[in-house]
Amino acid sequence: MNDNSKKFVLIDGNSLVNRAFYALPPMNNAHGNPTNAVYGFLTMLLKAITDLKPSHIAVAFDEREKTFRHHEYPLYKATRKGMPDDLASQMPLLKEMLEILGIGIISKVGYEADDIIGTLSKKSSDEVVIITGDRDCLQLVDSKTSVMLTRRGLSDVLTITQKNIIDEYGVNETQVIELKALMGDSSDNIPGVSGIGEKTALDLIEKYSSLDNVYQNIENISSASVQKKLNEGKENAYLSKKLATIETNADIDISAYDFSYQFPFSEKVRDFFVKHSFKSMLKRSDVFSGEVHTIKEKKDRVKASIEKITSLEKLKSLLGATEINTLSIHIARDINFALNTIVEYEVELGKNMLGEGVNYEEAIGVFKPYLENEKIKKVFFSLKQFLSLTKNEKINLKNYSSVELMQYIVDSRFDTSDISQYLEEVFENKKTPATALISLDKELKDTIKKEDKEKLYFDIELPLVEVLIKMEQRGFRVDIKKLDEFDIYFSQKLNELQKEIFNLSEQEFNINSPKQLAKVLFEDMQIKFPQKGKKISTNEKVLQILAEKNEGGGIAKLLLKYRTYSKLRSTYVIGLKNKADTKNFIHTEFKQTLTSTGRLSSVEPNLQNIPVREEEGRMLRGAFIASEGNILVSADYSQIELRLLAHFSDDETLIKAYEEGKDIHAITASEVFGVDLEKLTNEQRNSAKAVNFGIIYGISDFGLSEQLGIPPYKAKEYISKYFEKFPSIKKYLEESVEKAKEKGYASSLLNRTRALPDLKSTNFSIRSFAERAAKNMPLQASAADIIKIAMIEVATALKGFKSKLILQVHDELIVDTDINEVDEVKKILKEKMESAIKLKVPLEVDVKSGNSWLDCK
């Protein structure tokens, strides 16, 4: 936040999220997880930011461990009910959101959130605003500190300052503790003086000012009953005062200036809102930063009203009577289309309007002459969706464009999975989608031309659509018998592991139940939970820690193996069998606009995610086979991102090594470890390989140390030596970050861009993530562009062949190849892939063949 007025906002995280949870009705994200507390918290946070405009914000949370108050009084807060499950499950999501927002979080074992707030407020010399629902914090009010007390709902807030505290509560800030010492607090189980209620306590403090004065003047109190209660409850009164007093000198070595933040928020926040269905937040233009290619309302935009068409005859009559320059078609629940460049009305051809027995194919068939007419411009939202739906019509589409693809190229941060949401965000009108597409088509094309992205759109993304559709339609054949064998194999392995687990635990239970498993491990077997201060869990990270310690006779190792086999069986064996068609072919769907780097994604099922690391996972590739009478030919780019690194950095050592066809990892190992090539060990080469690929992805000392199983200082030494020997690479990576920071984006060889506004974030972790993206994006995106060019070239070269391209897995292409065309296909793959683009180093492709995908490795 760039604001010269220094204002520090301190938020009681537990108090606000609790308030939000009960203020809002249940709501869930797309995954079915509750989010109402997180959404409500966000609403209050944004109101605080926009209303108060703070320069710093910190959110304090309680820790699970007992505090010093519990040691003073074991019954402290003993009557409090546990957090509801639907609220407890949202706490990790809340903290994740705050981290993404760049809002600082703070907690400390032994202290409550109030103590942290109290300490930070007193340390700050700036104006402080505390936001909480806990009246205890009123004791922190002073000349520079106010408290905003949440009351009913989310918006009912009472601001308390030194000027109004007595009017509102009858005591001043110094007397808040004195009052609670007498009357106690049932919510925190603070006893107070038995029998003394709020009215009596207020009367006593108003007359005597403090607890000490009350007891010094006890003989002057007129009521004998009150005197008796005070005498009998004196010990509890002073205990209560101690429990109610907020610690303002906690051991916290941090100040307000450690809690700066950036507002409007980064585009990473937009992704979080989309992921968790915070749709109304996406409409707020004040929330996000960075230059986003949002298309705002323009005077020259075409507008239309909707006209209903109730039959094919009326549709034919309309088309025949209209001079059509532009035809825009959007297919969803109904077919919407718009005619001409200046549209007076949009036509809606609904499913219920077509008449009995009439279907979409017949309706689209009416459009066929217009779709094939090159003089008429066709505008689609998702070209791929349209061509997939009309594959049986055999339409020779000409002169067309795709708004979805253009938006992806101009700014990939927009979610185009839902056209209604997209149009509402960029066009502010979703009622006439086909008409909106005509305006968007022109505006996006102008931007693409201005930003020199025409090659990316016209030569790569647009022609790739047809290639992907044909790959999806052909599918990849699977050996069902082989999958059945795997099913039996994994089932046997799971049964064996189950017996071993039951023997070690000395009981039978549902291994797939986290609750039952946690009870067995941490209660029955009394294994110490390894993550102090965190909620009991049996996730993979916890089991890995236990496995390394060999806790419980190695039960964690067995559980990890059990989960691996269970996933292989359910996700890949059974999952693949269920996806196969009647001819045993699996048809994946390629998503073209999901990633920020241009990489394709495979879904339903994901064939790009078939395991390759573990032997038993890798053998699943043996179930993917060629069509009857064919063999598979696989072509894989060799170290394409490292070659791109050599190209971008202009590093002489790397370029020379690739030109001479040398082992790049051995060269790196020789340079880093100062060892002759002939004397290199496999361990040194593998370490150099990890460093080579790690540098591309901005690996940290800690990340490399975990990967290689070496101390962090040794990993740091490896990385330092690497940059000493390859200074041009270090220079290139540093310049990549600086250029991206200056421009606001990183770009590929073919000018694919990724916006990176987070490079200017004041939050270290967010900024570091953006810096890694700035280094990696040009490499990964360029690799994605290259393989796409190769796909188009290979598909074009295979026209007229019986052999067909069926799969792309990042740097690999697979062709289902006629046995008589093997040599030609291998030649085409190698030539087209290696000549896809000209670099300073040669592109190298490894071509292999076999009856199964496994045989191609």
Side-chain angles (χ1 to χ4, degrees):
M1 182 76 182
N2 296 320
D3 196 308
N4 292 324
S5 60
K6 299 289 179 62
K7 187 182 291 182
F8 190 15
V9 166
L10 288 161
I11 297 174
D12 183 340
N14 293 83
S15 174
L16 252 69
V17 76
N18 197 66
R19 171 75 58 188
F21 178 74
Y22 289 105
L24 292 181
M27 58 187 284
N28 299 305
N29 61 17
H31 306 288
N33 301 319
T35 56
N36 64 323
V38 178
Y39 184 84
F41 189 102
L42 174 63
T43 301
M44 290 188 279
L45 175 64
L46 285 174
K47 180 169 176 56
I49 290 173
T50 53
D51 289 355
L52 301 174
K53 296 179 174 55
S55 54
H56 304 82
I57 302 177
V59 181
F61 287 100
D62 296 332
E63 287 280 1
R64 291 171 61 88
E65 284 85 349
K66 292 182 178 180
T67 68
F68 65 88
R69 294 182 180 86
H70 293 91
H71 296 298
E72 288 282 344
Y73 184 56
L75 295 178
Y76 178 65
K77 291 191 175 180
T79 55
R80 280 206 175 180
K81 293 181 180 180
M83 191 179 283
D85 289 343
D86 276 1
L87 174 54
S89 67
Q90 296 184 60
M91 294 303 289
L93 182 63
L94 172 61
K95 291 178 181 179
E96 178 191 346
M97 179 185 74
L98 289 171
E99 185 175 343
I100 291 171
L101 295 177
I103 302 295
I105 297 172
I106 184 169
S107 61
K108 189 172 179 65
V109 173
Y111 295 100
E112 295 180 60
D114 287 354
D115 302 314
I116 295 166
I117 289 171
T119 300
L120 289 174
S121 68
K122 297 306 179 187
K123 285 175 71 173
S124 177
S125 59
D126 301 323
E127 180 185 351
V128 174
V129 179
I130 298 167
I131 304 177
T132 180
D134 189 349
R135 287 195 293 180
D136 285 355
C137 283
L138 294 180
Q139 64 189 270
L140 301 173
V141 168
D142 58 29
S143 59
K144 65 176 178 58
T145 302
S146 59
V147 174
M148 292 179 67
L149 276 177
T150 58
R151 299 191 290 188
R152 294 177 299 275
L154 299 181
S155 57
D156 186 3
V157 177
L158 175 64
T159 300
I160 302 297
T161 66
Q162 280 187 324
K163 293 180 180 179
N164 70 347
I165 187 169
I166 293 177
D167 292 337
E168 294 291 344
Y169 288 101
V171 295
N172 64 35
E173 64 275 11
T174 64
Q175 296 170 334
V176 170
I177 311 165
E178 318 293 333
L179 185 67
K180 186 166 282 195
L182 291 169
M183 62 181 279
D185 185 347
S186 59
S187 66
D188 288 342
N189 203 35
I190 293 176
V193 176
S194 180
I196 299 291
E198 184 175 4
K199 184 179 183 305
T200 303
L202 276 168
D203 289 342
L204 288 169
I205 295 302
E206 183 179 359
K207 187 171 184 178
Y208 298 108
S209 183
S210 70
L211 185 66
D212 286 342
N213 282 341
V214 167
Y215 279 101
Q216 286 171 13
N217 292 278
I218 197 166
E219 299 300 329
N220 299 324
I221 295 173
S222 58
S223 170
S225 171
V226 171
Q227 277 190 31
K228 183 181 178 184
K229 291 172 184 176
L230 286 169
N231 281 321
E232 290 176 351
K234 185 174 182 179
E235 187 178 341
N236 274 349
Y238 279 96
L239 170 65
S240 298
K241 181 175 179 178
K242 193 171 185 179
L243 294 175
T245 301
I246 292 175
E247 175 63 69
T248 58
N249 195 29
D251 183 20
I252 301 171
D253 185 22
I254 199 165
S255 71
Y257 299 100
D258 295 296
F259 294 101
S260 59
Y261 70 106
Q262 187 177 28
F263 186 81
F265 294 129
S266 71
E267 285 304 304
K268 192 176 178 183
V269 174
R270 187 189 296 274
D271 297 336
F272 179 88
F273 290 172
V274 169
K275 181 179 179 181
H276 294 288
S277 308
F278 292 177
K279 293 181 180 178
S280 62
M281 290 297 172
L282 292 167
K283 300 174 187 176
R284 291 187 54 168
S285 59
D286 61 322
V287 171
F288 302 105
S289 64
E291 182 186 353
V292 183
H293 292 279
T294 307
I295 302 168
K296 296 298 180 185
E297 192 69 42
K298 293 190 176 182
K299 292 180 181 178
D300 59 348
R301 274 190 166 166
V302 294
K303 295 183 180 180
S305 55
I306 292 178
E307 180 167 317
K308 307 284 187 179
I309 300 296
T310 55
S311 68
L312 289 181
E313 287 67 30
K314 283 191 176 182
L315 173 62
K316 292 174 184 176
S317 175
L318 172 68
L319 291 172
T322 308
E323 184 180 343
I324 302 172
N325 304 344
T326 303
L327 175 62
S328 172
I329 298 180
H330 167 58
I331 299 179
R333 182 177 58 83
D334 299 324
I335 300 175
N336 281 65
F337 61 94
L339 308 175
N340 293 337
T341 50
I342 300 176
V343 180
E344 294 180 358
Y345 56 84
E346 176 164 321
V347 182
E348 186 176 285
L349 186 63
K351 275 186 177 180
N352 299 329
M353 306 172 195
L354 295 177
E356 191 174 346
V358 180
N359 56 34
Y360 268 112
E361 284 74 16
E362 290 178 276
I364 294 297
V366 175
F367 288 106
K368 185 174 180 178
Y370 305 93
L371 294 169
E372 294 181 337
N373 187 335
E374 195 163 11
K375 293 181 180 179
I376 299 174
K377 180 171 71 174
K378 272 72 65 176
V379 181
F380 302 95
F381 177 65
S382 174
L383 174 64
K384 189 165 176 284
Q385 180 199 31
F386 176 80
L387 292 178
S388 296
L389 288 171
T390 59
K391 58 182 180 289
N392 296 326
E393 292 296 320
K394 295 181 180 178
I395 295 171
N396 184 19
L397 189 64
K398 294 177 182 176
N399 190 7
Y400 53 86
S401 60
S402 167
V403 167
E404 179 189 38
L405 285 178
M406 285 191 285
Q407 180 62 69
Y408 178 59
I409 287 168
V410 167
D411 193 332
S412 64
R413 291 173 291 178
F414 279 96
D415 179 13
T416 55
S417 60
D418 182 339
I419 186 174
S420 294
Q421 183 176 311
Y422 167 73
L423 288 178
E424 193 171 345
E425 190 171 351
V426 304
F427 196 75
E428 300 165 359
N429 179 7
K430 63 181 180 180
K431 293 179 181 178
T432 53
T435 303
L437 295 180
I438 292 178
S439 292
L440 290 169
D441 174 69
K442 181 181 184 305
E443 293 167 22
L444 287 167
K445 272 181 183 164
D446 288 346
T447 304
I448 282 174
K449 185 175 182 179
K450 179 183 175 184
E451 296 183 357
D452 192 25
K453 293 180 176 180
E454 289 177 299
K455 179 176 176 60
L456 196 59
Y457 173 64
F458 289 107
D459 296 350
I460 298 178
E461 296 294 354
L462 205 57
L464 186 65
V465 173
E466 187 178 354
V467 176
L468 294 176
I469 288 173
K470 288 182 178 177
M471 289 167 66
E472 291 173 357
Q473 291 171 356
R474 290 171 195 133
F476 204 148
R477 187 183 176 205
V478 287
D479 186 337
I480 297 296
K481 288 183 179 178
K482 181 75 76 174
L483 289 175
D484 288 336
E485 290 172 11
F486 290 156
D487 194 359
I488 294 169
Y489 172 80
F490 287 125
S491 296
Q492 288 174 343
K493 287 287 185 183
L494 288 168
N495 286 331
E496 291 168 8
L497 285 167
Q498 181 176 272
K499 288 177 183 177
E500 289 186 69
I501 291 166
F502 288 167
N503 285 336
L504 278 175
S505 63
E506 298 181 346
Q507 60 181 296
E508 293 187 7
F509 62 98
N510 182 358
I511 298 173
N512 296 314
S513 166
K515 188 175 181 180
Q516 290 186 37
L517 179 57
K519 180 180 180 299
V520 168
L521 293 178
F522 306 120
E523 293 181 25
D524 302 341
M525 296 183 72
Q526 295 188 337
I527 295 172
K528 188 176 180 181
F529 185 67
Q531 295 180 314
K532 187 177 179 182
K534 293 193 176 181
K535 188 177 179 181
I536 296 295
S537 169
T538 57
N539 60 32
E540 187 176 354
K541 187 174 182 180
V542 168
L543 292 180
Q544 283 174 342
I545 295 170
L546 294 177
E548 289 171 8
K549 294 181 176 181
N550 206 29
E551 295 272 4
I555 193 171
K557 291 179 182 177
L558 297 176
L559 288 166
L560 285 168
K561 192 171 282 189
Y562 183 92
R563 287 184 179 178
T564 298
Y565 287 151
S566 181
K567 182 174 182 178
L568 288 172
R569 179 175 178 268
S570 61
T571 303
Y572 298 108
V573 178
I574 296 173
L576 289 172
K577 280 201 296 184
N578 291 338
K579 291 292 182 181
D581 65 15
T582 55
K583 295 181 180 179
N584 298 337
F585 279 80
I586 286 177
H587 304 271
T588 188
E589 179 186 354
F590 292 101
K591 294 286 187 180
Q592 201 172 346
T593 60
L594 274 187
T595 69
S596 57
T597 58
R599 274 192 165 190
L600 293 173
S601 297
S602 164
V603 297
E604 297 297 325
N606 183 355
L607 297 187
Q608 295 179 331
N609 202 32
I610 303 298
V612 292
R613 290 184 179 178
E614 305 89 359
E615 179 60 36
E616 285 161 317
R618 188 162 51 248
M619 69 184 192
L620 287 169
R621 294 194 170 206
F624 288 85
I625 58 175
S627 301
E628 194 70 41
N630 285 8
I631 68 167
L632 298 177
V633 176
S634 165
D636 195 356
Y637 277 116
S638 171
Q639 302 171 355
I640 188 168
E641 289 184 6
L642 276 175
R643 291 171 189 270
L644 283 163
L645 181 61
H647 173 84
F648 280 119
S649 67
D650 211 11
D651 185 85
E652 292 180 5
T653 305
L654 284 185
I655 291 173
K656 185 178 179 183
Y658 277 124
E659 285 177 342
E660 295 176 358
K662 291 182 178 178
D663 182 342
I664 197 67
H665 302 311
I667 296 288
T668 303
S670 176
E671 291 287 339
V672 171
F673 298 115
V675 179
D676 291 340
L677 286 170
E678 300 78 27
K679 296 179 181 179
L680 276 178
T681 64
N682 284 334
E683 185 181 355
Q684 287 172 323
R685 184 187 180 278
N686 288 336
S687 294
K689 182 177 180 180
V691 175
N692 267 330
F693 288 115
I695 291 296
I696 293 172
Y697 293 97
I699 200 167
S700 64
D701 304 345
F702 180 75
L704 184 61
S705 73
E706 281 205 325
Q707 190 173 327
L708 294 177
I710 59 175
Y713 79 86
K714 183 63 70 175
K716 185 176 183 179
E717 187 181 306
Y718 285 178
I719 294 173
S720 296
K721 284 185 178 178
Y722 181 93
F723 285 132
E724 281 177 22
K725 297 297 180 180
F726 301 99
S728 54
I729 292 177
K730 184 179 183 182
K731 182 183 177 185
Y732 160 70
L733 294 173
E734 288 173 347
E735 287 179 349
S736 295
V737 174
E738 289 307 310
K739 285 179 182 176
K741 192 177 291 185
E742 182 184 329
K743 295 179 179 179
Y745 61 85
S747 56
S748 73
L749 275 172
L750 293 168
N751 205 23
R752 184 184 300 278
T753 56
R754 176 182 179 181
L756 294 169
D758 289 347
L759 286 169
K760 295 181 180 178
S761 172
T762 55
N763 183 288
F764 175 77
S765 58
I766 292 176
R767 187 173 67 252
S768 296
F769 179 85
E771 287 172 355
R772 288 195 295 275
K775 294 173 185 176
N776 173 248
M777 191 276 175
L779 305 171
Q780 199 173 84
S782 295
D785 293 341
I786 291 169
I787 193 76
K788 285 179 176 179
I789 293 170
M791 289 173 73
I792 295 165
E793 293 293 325
V794 168
T796 302
L798 288 178
K799 284 182 178 177
F801 282 66
K802 294 179 181 178
S803 307
K804 304 297 179 186
L805 183 64
I806 58 170
L807 186 64
Q808 183 253 51
V809 182
H810 304 316
D811 302 332
E812 177 186 14
L813 297 181
I814 299 175
V815 177
D816 192 356
T817 308
D818 184 277
I819 197 71
N820 298 310
E821 298 173 348
V822 173
D823 290 340
E824 288 177 275
V825 168
K826 285 184 176 181
K827 183 180 178 183
I828 287 171
L829 281 167
K830 193 166 181 67
E831 286 183 355
K832 298 301 180 184
M833 290 177 72
E834 290 183 347
S835 64
I837 201 165
K838 182 72 175 173
L839 300 178
K840 295 170 186 173
V841 296
L843 285 174
E844 189 175 304
V845 173
D846 299 322
V847 182
K848 297 178 182 177
S849 60
N851 293 317
S852 74
W853 192 2
L854 183 63
D855 295 335
C856 294
K857 292 296 177 186

